[in-house]
Amino acid sequence: MMTSDGSTNPRLSMDDWVQEGFRVLAEAGLKALTLERLCRRLEVPRGSFYWHFSDMKAYRRALIDAWATVRDQDRGYFDELAADPPRQRLSRMLTVLVGPRHWMLERAMREWARSETAVAAAVRASDRWVVTTVRQAFLDDGFNSDEADLRANATFAAGIGFLHLSGSRPSPQAAGRREAFLEVLLRH
């Protein structure tokens, strides 16, 4: 069994469990997120799970918290981009939001949000933040408020589409498509 740090130590970290949970959610949905399935996939006994989590409710909370941490990191990174030219800022934002790091995580959370209102609310709040940040880049590029809204929402929708069209993992052609898409949206 290979752990998140690349070692073959059979003792799993909390992050190993969390990452496997995101894989299960992304591949098979919430109903498939069971202790038995996780243990089978990680090739460990049930006791390994209980070393880190008191129960599935605590485990699911850890999944939500891990996602929130990634979103907080994104916010910090996007704040750092605020001084970049709008085109460069948008390209970097899209690269982050639909890149390999987010592929599994976003698909997992969106799948989960379909069946749990608390997760859906967290996803909606995150989505609003992303659209607002993207909108600002279009405003900074000289688009009026209505055009910036339209383009920000189109960019967001396309980003979600890029995630779902990528199949089981991000494709190497996706970066070129994103750049071509940005060229279209940045035409005045």
Side-chain angles (χ1 to χ4, degrees):
M1 142 101 252
M2 184 83 72
T3 60
S4 64
D5 66 1
S7 71
T8 55
N9 182 347
R11 180 172 286 182
L12 298 175
S13 70
M14 185 180 286
D15 186 60
D16 293 320
W17 284 99
V18 166
Q19 294 307 313
E20 191 61 32
F22 286 136
R23 279 189 281 281
V24 169
L25 283 168
E27 294 167 8
L30 185 60
K31 287 183 180 178
L33 188 65
T34 64
L35 179 54
E36 292 74 24
R37 181 179 290 229
L38 290 165
C39 289
R40 188 173 53 250
R41 288 174 62 131
L42 292 169
E43 301 174 352
V44 296
R46 294 169 63 102
S48 179
F49 174 87
Y50 291 110
W51 180 260
H52 298 290
F53 309 100
S54 58
D55 54 24
M56 282 303 285
K57 183 177 180 181
Y59 177 67
R60 288 180 178 191
R61 181 78 240 162
L63 291 171
I64 294 169
D65 291 346
W67 179 73
T69 297
V70 169
R71 281 306 197 193
D72 288 344
Q73 291 168 350
D74 291 344
R75 285 184 180 97
Y77 177 69
F78 285 12
D79 288 346
E80 293 171 15
L81 296 176
D84 288 356
R87 166 80 174 73
Q88 183 179 352
R89 190 178 340 152
L90 286 165
S91 178
R92 287 182 174 177
M93 286 181 201
L94 272 176
T95 298
V96 166
L97 292 172
V98 298
R101 176 175 175 235
H102 283 286
W103 177 86
M104 178 180 51
L105 193 55
E106 283 301 308
R107 287 174 61 124
M109 293 308 289
R110 289 180 187 290
E111 176 62 30
W112 191 357
R114 292 176 38 185
S115 61
E116 192 164 320
T117 57
V119 177
V123 168
R124 278 192 308 275
S126 176
D127 291 350
R128 281 191 301 274
W129 170 79
V130 170
V131 171
T132 299
T133 305
V134 170
R135 180 183 182 275
Q136 187 59 53
F138 284 113
L139 288 169
D140 293 348
D141 198 56
F143 291 98
N144 68 39
S145 182
D146 290 340
E147 284 289 318
D149 285 340
L150 176 67
R151 291 164 195 268
N153 282 293
T155 301
F156 177 78
I160 298 300
F162 288 141
L163 278 172
H164 288 280
L165 290 174
S166 65
S168 62
R169 59 186 71 232
S171 74
Q173 299 84 13
R177 289 185 193 131
R178 285 192 309 271
E179 292 304 313
F181 176 74
L182 276 179
E183 288 301 321
V184 170
L185 284 180
L186 286 166
R187 289 185 192 144
H188 285 266

